[in-house]
Amino acid sequence: MGKKLFWDRVSPIYDLFETIYNRKVFTGTGSKVAELIDSSDNVLECACGTGAISIYIAQKCRKLVATDYAVGMLKQASKKCRMYSNASFQRADITNLKCKDEIFDKAVAGNVIHLLPEPDKALHELERVVKHGGKIIIPTYINMSRKTGKVAVKLIKLLGANFRMQFDLDSYKKFFADMGYKNVEYHVVNGRMPCAIAVIVKE
C-alpha cells in the first residue's frame, strides 16, 4: 500500500481516531504551535493533514499556505478551516517545494519527519524557504516515550502506515543534532502519545 493511498484512505476518520485516542495532545500541539506564531507572519505548513494544527495557526498569522501530499487530507483541512480567509490549501511534496527562497517567516511540519525516507531533504527545503531569523517548527510524536504510544503505532502500521523512525525525547534531540542543528528549542505536549515540538531558528 503506497503512502498516498493510505493517507487518503484514513483522512475521513483520522480526526476521530486522534480525538478518541489522544485528544489532549491532538489539540494541545496546535495550541502550542500557535504560541510560536506572530500576527504578522506569513506561514508555510507542510503535511497539514486534516488541519489539526492549521486551524490554530490560521487564527494567529497574517497568511497561511497549508500543504499536504494527500488530496484527501487537504479536503478535510480545507473544510475545517473554511472560515479563515487567510488560509489556502494546495498539494505539495515537502522534499521538493515549488516556491522561492526565503519567503516565509515560519514553516511548520507536523508529524511527518518520521515517515520520510530522506528527512534531511525535507529539512533543507524548509530551511530554504524560511527567511533568515525565521523559525522552522517541527512537532513529532515521541511514541517511544510511553507504552500506550508504542501500541498505537503497531496498530497504525498494521493499517498500512510506514514509520521510518520512532523517537523518544532523547533520540529526537539526537536526530536534529546529527543533522547539524544546534541550539534547538524543544516543547513537549504530554498525553497518551506525547508530541515533541522542535523549534529551529534560521541563522
Side-chain angles (χ1 to χ4, degrees):
M1 187 183 300
K3 177 179 70 172
K4 178 176 180 290
L5 178 59
F6 170 76
W7 295 110
D8 280 326
R9 268 186 47 193
V10 301
S11 59
I13 60 167
Y14 185 81
D15 282 1
L16 180 63
F17 170 78
E18 286 279 18
T19 300
I20 292 172
Y21 178 77
N22 205 29
R23 177 191 291 270
K24 184 179 176 183
V25 178
F26 190 55
T27 58
T29 299
S31 295
K32 189 63 188 178
V33 169
E35 290 177 15
L36 303 167
I37 305 297
D38 297 319
S39 60
S40 61
D41 283 343
N42 186 19
V43 181
L44 171 70
E45 184 186 7
C46 294
C48 69
T50 60
I53 296 175
S54 316
I55 196 165
Y56 288 91
I57 297 173
Q59 294 173 57
K60 289 288 298 289
C61 71
R62 183 176 67 84
K63 183 180 179 184
L64 169 65
V65 178
T67 70
D68 202 285
Y69 191 71
V71 174
M73 288 290 192
L74 285 171
K75 287 179 180 176
Q76 296 294 326
S78 180
K79 189 185 303 181
K80 184 179 293 180
C81 298
R82 61 184 176 273
M83 70 289 290
Y84 299 107
S85 60
N86 62 331
S88 62
F89 295 83
Q90 55 190 259
R91 189 168 184 259
D93 177 356
I94 190 174
T95 63
N96 186 23
L97 298 169
K98 306 295 185 183
C99 55
K100 296 177 182 178
D101 295 353
E102 300 182 15
I103 60 170
F104 294 100
D105 300 292
K106 309 275 169 65
V108 179
N111 292 310
V112 66
I113 291 296
H114 58 300
L115 303 173
L116 301 173
E118 297 177 293
D120 55 316
K121 284 188 176 181
L123 288 169
H124 291 154
E125 277 291 85
L126 294 171
E127 193 171 0
R128 179 182 68 79
V129 302
V130 167
K131 298 172 184 176
H132 286 280
K135 291 180 179 178
I136 301 160
I137 302 165
I138 307 178
T140 302
Y141 287 133
I142 46 173
N143 56 281
M144 298 300 287
S145 301
R146 298 186 63 172
K147 180 180 273 189
T148 49
K150 295 177 186 178
V151 171
V153 167
K154 285 182 181 178
L155 172 61
I156 295 166
K157 288 175 79 171
L158 283 173
L159 292 172
N162 188 7
F163 283 67
R164 304 278 181 168
M165 296 175 286
Q166 296 184 53
F167 299 108
D168 57 18
L169 183 57
D170 288 340
S171 60
Y172 194 52
K173 290 179 177 180
K174 184 177 185 301
F175 167 78
F176 287 102
D178 289 347
M179 289 283 180
Y181 294 101
K182 299 175 181 178
N183 301 319
V184 183
E185 180 181 308
Y186 294 92
H187 305 272
V188 177
V189 181
N190 282 306
R192 271 187 168 179
M193 189 188 291
C195 184
I197 303 170
V199 184
I200 301 165
V201 177
K202 180 176 176 178
E203 297 177 356

